[in-house]
Amino acid sequence: MKPFGYVRAAGIEEAVAAYAAQPGARYLGGGTNLVDLMKLGVEEPATLVDISRLGLDTVEEDPDGALRIGATVRNSDLAAHPLVRGRYPALSQALLAGASGQLRNIATTGGNLLQRTRCPYFQDIGKPCNKREPGSGCGALDGVHRDHAVLGHSPQCIATHPSDMAVALAALDAHIELYGPDGARTLQAADFHRLPAEQPERDTEIRPGELITAVVLPAAKAGLPSAYRKARDRASYAFALASVAAVLRVENGVVHDAGIAFGALAHRPWRARRTEEALLGAAPTAAAFERAVDLELAAARPLRDNAYKVRLARSLALDVLSRLAPPGTT
Ligand code: SF4
């Protein structure tokens, strides 16, 4: 690992100023992904700005009933929080489906959102990778890509985003609060991550020097039936092959609200807008669920070795939707 400087910030503005003053700086939260990438030579920050003591480690209810999650709340603490478990079960389930107990104890909310792809070519500095080194090519395109994207990929990059938590946040209509050199702003969680297009080196819409300060879960989704389901190669400590988060409100025999997102199918959590639109106003029948999910997955463009992901995602989505609103329920 290359030598690097270290600055511990005591406040948000101090952290942003320290980042701006140190070319090549990176923010350090839990470090569970960043430090791994530094050991591999993928990341070579000149300075780490430690943001673990900014006072962003609380979960609080806003006056309007929304839940405000500080950026440095640990994944374990968030998964176990009574208001998260009780009001937004999909988020708790997604967190517990990710990583290992030890990693969840140190990984932060903000860091979870900013983790990089686990594409093996990205993590091997001896291989071509447009995300790590723009213009060098994509080793996965004609290489090993069983775990890669089936939706929204480009010839430049076919990687998937690895976060489970981000998939639940997209389905739950969460928003992300940022603070940077130009002040504060907010992004919808579903719009925070990018598709690769011509710039696969950019994972998110975050601007240079910006810091995630909080994630906010809307009051409108509190207490609605929601769930997260993930398929992987082994029962724990593995990234998703496909996953789905869904929140569903059924009243008087029809769907009044639906938030659905797929994970591990694209460069970002894939909000299933076509499925949601097809379900609104429909009775929650097996046929309606199948039609709505198929509408979304019709956009899939599987690669040579990953067509199985489309079938897997379809099965997961139908299972989750039928559990949230068993056909025939009112
Ligand atoms: Fe790099 Fe993306 Fe290609 Fe993986 S899929 S090698 S991350 S460009």
Side-chain angles (χ1 to χ4, degrees), residues 1-240:
M1 190 187 291
K2 286 200 171 175
F4 56 90
Y6 174 85
V7 177
R8 178 181 292 168
I12 294 170
E13 291 184 358
E14 184 181 321
V16 170
Y19 186 105
Q22 310 279 345
R26 291 280 190 283
Y27 292 122
L28 175 70
T32 52
N33 185 217
L34 176 59
V35 175
D36 279 352
L37 293 175
M38 289 168 66
K39 291 177 185 170
L40 292 168
V42 175
E43 289 274 7
E44 295 182 329
T47 303
L48 293 179
V49 179
D50 188 341
I51 56 166
S52 61
R53 291 170 174 80
L54 304 188
L56 301 175
D57 56 352
T58 60
V59 178
E60 294 169 358
E61 191 174 2
D62 284 349
D64 67 354
L67 201 64
R68 179 174 299 277
I69 301 158
T72 60
V73 171
R74 308 288 174 181
N75 288 180
S76 293
D77 294 335
L78 187 57
H81 196 285
L83 293 180
V84 174
R85 292 177 60 188
R87 297 180 184 178
Y88 307 96
L91 177 56
S92 182
Q93 293 164 16
L95 285 158
L96 292 174
S100 65
Q102 292 92 334
L103 288 166
R104 292 194 296 268
N105 285 344
I106 193 74
T108 64
T109 305
N112 191 317
L113 286 167
L114 292 172
Q115 64 179 300
R116 311 297 308 273
T117 184
R118 296 319 196 275
C119 172
Y121 300 89
F122 173 74
Q123 298 188 103
D124 182 343
I125 59 171
K127 298 286 196 301
C129 171
N130 287 324
K131 182 178 284 295
R132 191 187 65 249
E133 192 180 332
S136 65
C138 171
L141 203 54
D142 294 317
V144 177
H145 57 226
R146 168 182 174 267
D147 297 345
H148 287 64
V150 294
L151 284 163
H153 50 77
S154 78
Q156 299 297 314
C157 180
I158 56 173
T160 58
H161 195 267
S163 172
D164 296 293
M165 183 193 78
V167 182
L169 294 181
L172 288 164
D173 274 337
H175 69 259
I176 296 168
E177 294 186 345
L178 302 157
Y179 187 85
D182 297 324
R185 68 184 180 117
T186 297
L187 288 173
Q188 289 295 313
D191 298 330
F192 182 71
H193 296 94
R194 297 178 68 257
L195 292 179
E198 300 298 314
Q199 282 187 295
E201 68 275 19
R202 289 183 58 211
D203 292 348
T204 72
E205 297 293 346
I206 205 163
R207 296 171 184 156
E210 274 188 328
L211 187 62
I212 296 173
T213 54
V215 170
V216 180
L217 295 168
K221 303 293 180 185
L224 296 183
S226 72
Y228 181 76
R229 192 150 178 230
K230 168 179 179 176
R232 46 189 159 177
D233 278 329
R234 56 177 183 243
S236 70
Y237 196 31
F239 292 97

Side-chain angles (χ1 to χ4, degrees), residues 312-329:
L312 189 55
R314 182 179 191 272
S315 297
L316 292 173
L318 294 179
D319 177 67
V320 167
L321 289 170
S322 65
R323 286 171 192 239
L324 292 178
T329 57

